[in-house]
Amino acid sequence: MKTLRRTLLAAVALAALAPLAQAQDIKPRLIRFGYGLAEASNQGRAVKVFAEQVEKLSGGKMKVRAIGGAALGPDTQMQQALIGGAQEMMVGSTATLVGITKEMALWDTPFLINNTKEADALLDGPVGEKIKAKLEDKGLVGLVYWENGFRNLTNNKRPVAKLEDLEGIKLRVMQNNVFLDSFKTLGANAVPLPYSELFTALETKAVDGQENPYNTILSAKFYEVQKYLTVTNHVYAPWIVTVSKKFWDGLSKDERAVLQKAAVVSRDFERKDTREEAARALADLKAKGMQITELSPAETARMRDKLTRINATVATQVGMELWNEAQAELAKIRAK
Ligand code: TK8
């Protein structure tokens, strides 16, 4: 009796292990993965980690061809290529996705997120998941959010120490109405431009300034064409890793699991790498000759006050229900 039981138990255990022992359903695949920043940037480094992981997890069958520097076009063009199935993957700003999925505008809310703990919890929690899932009706699959980071202001006209200093500054913003509205509200002459055209626009003085995280100001060498930097931290901007749904629908469960796992590893790497770089970046930018202005608490408060009217615009755009859910979730995160 005892031996029979043991044999039975062994058989059950073997059956449970069987799917693992079977060859995984993975075919040779080539994934063209586009991104906007330089190869030598936090974005480029994390794409490399993703590519290595995909190769490793698929036993070398799935290959990622990383194409940076917006060589496949700006975010909006790549998004269309993914939807049409002409390109498999990309990473870019959530802000440039708003025309496709309006709920992404939540991430454009000025001063919504105060620190990286809040960012991770909100993005990786139910609210972030819900917004990510909205992409599927539009022909995209969102895998993970990466950190672009807290955005800060640079310009070539004058040090910006108070709201009034922004008057008349021709400021490049992303192709996104919340950003456009926010900087118009603050008094700047805001103009939307794709990121791929930004360096040249600054260099030729077609625009006076821009706003991006320290990491990008450093890796894109904006310090070569911008004198003044103001620490505003006016918004936390995520990046999102997306897959063409047409491509995704043709993948096996195992192939999808490879991409999902690699995406999570790349996300954890990217956030750590970005935060380490950001912590050093201000000193680096100063050493490169930028003049840094810290906003006084009173000026920050004035800026926040001015921008609160943007909240109503975002709430209308994303829907009151989602807006309230995000606020409740943030309150929960802050109470922890
Ligand atoms: C990169 C851009 C960039 C963003 C911008 O494709 O456009 O200013 O911050 O990261 O999406």
Side-chain angles (χ1 to χ4, degrees), residues 256-272:
R256 288 179 190 176
V258 164
L259 296 187
Q260 191 63 56
K261 271 186 212 149
V264 170
V265 174
S266 73
R267 174 194 71 195
D268 295 347
F269 165 85
E270 196 271 349
R271 284 179 179 162
K272 192 163 171 279

Side-chain angles (χ1 to χ4, degrees), residues 59-274:
K61 285 189 186 158
M62 297 168 78
K63 296 223 182 331
V64 176
R65 185 181 295 159
I67 306 156
L72 294 178
D75 285 5
T76 49
Q77 192 180 323
M78 290 196 284
Q79 289 153 10
Q80 292 308 322
L82 260 65
I83 292 168
Q87 181 183 329
E88 290 73 32
M89 287 188 73
M90 66 172 287
V91 61
S93 281
T94 53
T96 53
L97 267 174
V98 169
I100 292 171
T101 299
K102 61 181 183 356
E103 290 83 0
M104 287 285 165
L106 180 72
W107 313 123
D108 305 327
T109 314
F111 300 107
L112 178 74
I113 289 168
N114 294 314
N115 53 53
T116 54
K117 182 193 137 200
E118 289 177 12
D120 295 354
L122 191 64
L123 287 159
D124 301 343
V127 171
E129 285 300 319
K130 191 183 256 185
I131 296 175
K132 191 152 67 70
K134 298 270 181 204
L135 290 168
E136 295 216 14
D137 304 334
K138 311 287 173 154
L140 296 167
V141 176
L143 293 186
V144 285
Y145 296 100
W146 286 358
E147 173 158 299
N148 188 356
F150 286 99
R151 301 179 79 91
N152 291 292
L153 187 80
T154 71
N155 89 97
N156 226 358
K157 279 257 147 154
R158 62 184 91 97
V160 173
K162 55 182 188 311
L163 265 177
E164 289 72 14
D165 297 331
L166 267 170
E167 272 291 321
I169 286 185
K170 204 165 173 194
L171 190 84
R172 176 271 178 178
V173 291
M174 291 188 279
Q175 293 158 294
N176 170 292
N177 281 332
V178 178
F179 275 85
L180 192 62
D181 264 14
S182 296
F183 281 96
K184 279 188 176 161
T185 302
L186 294 178
N189 176 8
V191 275
L193 262 188
Y195 177 80
S196 50
E197 289 170 29
L198 179 51
F199 188 90
T200 307
L202 294 169
E203 194 178 31
T204 60
K205 302 197 161 44
V207 295
D208 304 314
Q210 63 88 42
E211 42 82 52
N212 252 300
Y214 295 149
N215 308 68
T216 300
I217 300 169
L218 200 57
S219 66
K221 298 191 163 57
F222 290 157
Y223 55 81
E224 288 181 354
V225 288
Q226 296 279 276
K227 179 73 187 159
Y228 308 106
L229 187 154
T230 303
V231 180
T232 49
N233 292 316
H234 50 272
V235 67
Y236 176 92
W239 280 325
I240 187 165
V241 177
T242 48
V243 189
S244 158
K245 191 163 184 301
K246 278 197 174 154
F247 174 68
W248 182 260
D249 286 345
L251 295 179
S252 72
K253 241 177 95 206
D254 292 334
E255 289 164 340
R256 288 179 190 176
V258 164
L259 296 187
Q260 191 63 56
K261 271 186 212 149
V264 170
V265 174
S266 73
R267 174 194 71 195
D268 295 347
F269 165 85
E270 196 271 349
R271 284 179 179 162
K272 192 163 171 279
D273 177 55
T274 298

